[in-house]
Amino acid sequence: MVIALVIGIALNPLARQRPFQPGIVFCLKTILRWAVALLGLRIALGEIAALGLMTAILVVVAMVATLAAGFLLARLFALERAYGALAGAGTAVCGASPTIATSIVLPDYKGKEMDVAFVVVAVNALSTVAMVVYPLVCVWFGFDAQTAGVMLGATIHDVAQVVGAGYAVSETAGNTAVIVKLFRVFLMLPVVLAIGWLFARRAMASTAAKVPIPLFAIVFVALCALNSSADAFPALAPMLAWIRPPLIEASTWGLLIAISALGLGTSLTAIAALGWRHVAAVAGTTLVLLAVVTAGLAILP
């Protein structure tokens, strides 16, 4: 995704021409929504349930603290409140996907595309650093393979880096890390909806209008339920085995296309001019997530 974003940014001078604008908007609106909805096919609720209640509570608490930190740091550094939502969601959930999904429910403001692109790049860079450093943190705290897997899956932003860090420790740590990571991906839906509700509630405080639930969120839940139904209904297994691979592939390509379109609308000069405050906000949310998860694992029996 980062490569796609960089290619898009490189072509920004060409994409500024009027004929390209409808296509860019279509990618950022329609294609992005359906690509996020199809992510539901990656989630199996049975595997998530096997994590246990305490692990689930720790992950949820850490994510809430990270989201709150995003808003607080944005306010501290005099940044857009929406940037705090982007930084918090990208860090708390799983990197690029929740960042661009969150952008769907945020109101438009000047510099929004640049903020989204910056968070995607920053989160990926921090994930790469975490992939190398966090296994050493697990050793320093004396975590066993299971606990190390929980720590890595709950703190590293992108899936690829979670896999790299987890299986570098052991197979047990890798398997656990991936399941914890999938739980965070599953929580992307309530995170995005909560952020959308928060901003819509402020925008419509003077009216009696209801905050709408995006269609892509409903489809996400439905596909997650369908993907988790194979154990209860074995007859569905052949159908799922047939439809999942192409739809997951479509989701992957959809996200790539959407983030490429995001890059097309983003000026590299404008990103470079954002300054240290944008970096500090994303780094701060990353440290909050690490601190809460590590402290929780050190305290829990």
Side-chain angles (χ1 to χ4, degrees):
M1 284 193 181
V2 174
I3 294 173
L5 177 64
V6 170
I7 292 174
I9 293 173
L11 295 174
N12 170 258
L14 176 64
R16 292 176 186 173
Q17 301 179 37
R18 187 183 298 272
F20 295 106
Q21 298 309 305
I24 293 175
V25 172
F26 175 77
C27 292
L28 289 174
K29 300 292 185 180
T30 305
I31 291 181
L32 174 58
R33 283 171 167 80
W34 285 106
V36 172
L38 291 174
L39 287 175
L41 286 171
R42 300 174 184 263
I43 311 299
L45 297 179
E47 293 180 345
I48 293 174
L51 292 174
L53 180 61
M54 295 307 298
T55 298
I57 291 175
L58 175 60
V59 172
V60 171
V61 169
M63 292 176 67
V64 171
T66 304
L67 287 167
F71 287 109
L72 290 173
L73 289 169
R75 184 174 182 179
L76 176 64
F77 296 130
L79 299 169
E80 286 282 350
R81 193 162 178 265
Y83 181 80
L86 292 169
T91 305
V93 185
C94 60
S97 297
T99 302
I100 56 178
T102 299
S103 70
I104 297 174
V105 299
L106 291 177
D108 292 331
Y109 63 92
K110 184 178 180 181
K112 178 180 176 181
E113 292 79 7
M114 290 178 289
D115 283 353
V116 175
F118 184 86
V119 171
V120 169
V121 173
V123 165
N124 183 269
L126 289 170
S127 290
T128 303
V129 174
M131 180 178 66
V132 177
V133 174
Y134 285 10
L136 301 178
V137 175
C138 293
V139 173
W140 188 71
F141 276 95
F143 292 154
D144 58 27
Q146 182 81 12
T147 305
V150 173
M151 186 272 199
L152 297 173
T155 55
I156 298 179
H157 309 324
D158 287 333
V159 176
Q161 282 88 340
V162 169
V163 171
Y167 287 104
V169 174
S170 70
E171 183 175 353
T172 299
N175 292 339
T176 302
V178 170
I179 295 172
V180 173
K181 184 61 181 175
L182 288 176
F183 179 47
R184 290 169 67 194
V185 175
F186 174 72
L187 292 176
M188 177 176 66
L189 173 64
V191 167
V192 171
L193 289 180
I195 292 173
W197 176 83
L198 183 63
F199 279 85
R201 185 168 178 260
R202 289 192 63 180
M204 298 186 294
S206 60
T207 71
K210 294 181 179 180
V211 178
I213 297 178
L215 177 61
F216 79 88
I218 298 173
V219 177
F220 179 93
V221 172
L223 291 178
C224 181
L226 176 64
N227 189 48
S228 305
S229 63
D231 292 336
F233 305 99
L236 293 176
M239 181 191 71
L240 285 173
W242 180 69
I243 67 172
R244 282 184 76 254
L247 290 179
I248 290 176
E249 188 74 9
S251 175
T252 300
W253 280 100
L255 290 172
L256 282 172
I257 292 170
I259 206 165
S260 299
L262 175 67
L264 290 174
T266 303
S267 167
L268 186 60
T269 303
I271 289 181
L274 289 177
W276 64 270
R277 295 179 299 170
H278 284 71
V279 178
V282 179
T285 56
T286 299
L287 291 175
V288 168
L289 181 63
L290 175 64
V292 173
V293 171
T294 304
L297 291 174
I299 294 172
L300 291 175

